[in-house]
Amino acid sequence: MKIIERDSNDYLTIQICGRLDSGTAGELEAWTGTFIPNPAHPLVIDFAELDYISSAGLRVMFNFARELKGSGVRFAVCRCQDHVREIFEISGFDTFIPLYASPEAFVAQ
Amino acid sequence: MNEAEYFLERTEQSLDDFHDWLAGLGQSWGLSRTMVLEINLIIEELYTNCIKYGGGPDSGPVRVALARSSTEVQILIEDRGPPFDPLKVQPPDLIQPMEERQAGGLGLHLVRHFADSCGYARRSGKNILRLTKVIGCG
């Protein structure tokens, strides 16, 4: 798994690439632990290159989403692959983590 | 009928190696990418469950056996941990609001969703899970 951060004027992007499973979820958890939420700066979580997610990855995403919500940061998961989207939906995550086709669509909201 | 087996050690690296092995197997068995990902998910969830609730390193590796017929893939997962039937675990409440929801408990929910059938037996000191996935036309 790889985490890439990008900052544009309008929003911050973190792209999560590869596999988010029980072997790698800890890395993302460590990253979220260092993240400083800024309510003025929306966050795009880019899943375009996320090939696989298991319950270990979902657990980290859940805690991160709860933290973001609590600190008033606008955020969304963008460009989900179908397989990952299905897992999000089965888990009921799409009710509290907004999913968008693209970062542009999210920012335009 | 094609058959293959894999022994998952109780170490961190083992799932990565297993993933590569399964991807190769899926290719030679002509399985779709989605099918391979879903089988991978089922096995990861049940394996991590064995590690969490099962015995320590003394229990040895978790055995995974796969068989492909023309219509389905059978998955068998065997471990020597204490008796535990993961299929009896209460499913999580998915309609609770986020604030009240627990982060965990989703693994077995995903297993139940993606497997077309599943069954548990305790035999010769082993937990034995048998699951199937029907091969769709997709």
Side-chain angles (χ1 to χ4, degrees):
Chain A
M1 194 211 36
K2 210 163 72 183
I3 301 170
I4 303 166
E5 286 175 60
R6 278 192 304 270
D7 205 350
S8 75
N9 288 333
D10 302 327
Y11 57 89
L12 182 72
T13 304
I14 61 158
Q15 187 167 17
I16 303 171
C17 311
R19 297 165 51 77
L20 189 50
D21 60 14
S22 53
T24 59
E27 285 171 51
L28 180 62
E29 193 163 36
W31 186 92
T32 63
T34 62
F35 179 75
I36 300 163
N38 175 359
H41 221 165
L43 177 70
V44 167
I45 303 166
D46 188 339
F47 271 12
E49 288 182 38
L50 184 72
D51 300 318
Y52 177 92
I53 191 167
S54 70
S55 67
L58 290 172
R59 192 183 61 80
V60 176
M61 283 302 299
F62 178 89
N63 289 331
F64 189 40
R66 183 140 67 183
E67 188 198 329
L68 291 170
K69 213 170 181 182
S71 49
V73 176
R74 270 191 75 215
F75 69 99
V77 166
C78 296
R79 304 202 295 164
C80 245
Q81 295 182 23
D82 288 347
H83 168 76
V84 172
R85 170 187 289 270
E86 189 185 356
I87 290 177
F88 255 61
E89 288 168 357
I90 295 161
S91 308
F93 274 33
D94 54 326
T95 60
F96 55 80
I97 299 180
L99 301 177
Y100 281 90
S102 69
E104 293 73 23
F106 161 63
V107 175
Q109 276 297 306
Chain B
M1 178 84 85
N2 290 304
E3 290 178 26
E5 71 174 351
Y6 194 97
F7 290 89
L8 269 163
E9 300 293 336
R10 292 165 192 265
T11 58
E12 256 185 32
Q13 178 60 30
S14 55
L15 265 179
D16 266 359
D17 296 341
F18 174 75
H19 171 73
D20 294 342
W21 176 81
L22 186 65
L25 185 74
Q27 228 163 28
S28 66
W29 282 6
L31 302 174
S32 71
R33 177 172 177 262
T34 306
M35 180 85 171
V36 171
L37 289 171
E38 290 175 6
I39 292 173
N40 197 120
L41 184 67
I42 290 171
I43 295 171
E44 176 185 335
E45 299 300 350
L46 293 171
Y47 165 76
T48 52
N49 222 64
C50 290
I51 303 299
K52 218 155 128 194
Y53 302 107
D58 297 348
S59 313
V62 175
R63 177 174 175 257
V64 176
L66 298 167
R68 184 212 201 279
S69 70
S70 56
T71 54
E72 64 180 23
V73 175
Q74 295 161 16
I75 306 164
L76 180 127
I77 299 171
E78 249 179 33
D79 83 291
R80 294 191 169 276
F84 176 64
D85 179 359
L87 305 175
K88 288 216 172 109
V89 174
Q90 191 79 8
D93 184 350
L94 300 178
I95 49 172
Q96 270 185 329
M98 185 189 196
E99 290 71 20
E100 288 156 37
R101 254 185 84 161
Q102 301 289 318
L106 284 167
L108 296 169
H109 173 64
L110 295 173
V111 169
R112 285 192 197 96
H113 178 90
F114 284 114
D116 292 300
S117 74
C118 40
Y120 169 84
R122 178 80 185 174
R123 220 173 287 140
S124 324
K126 289 186 277 197
N127 295 308
I128 303 170
L129 283 156
R130 281 178 196 281
L131 307 102
T132 58
K133 263 199 87 60
V134 172
I135 299 172
C137 8

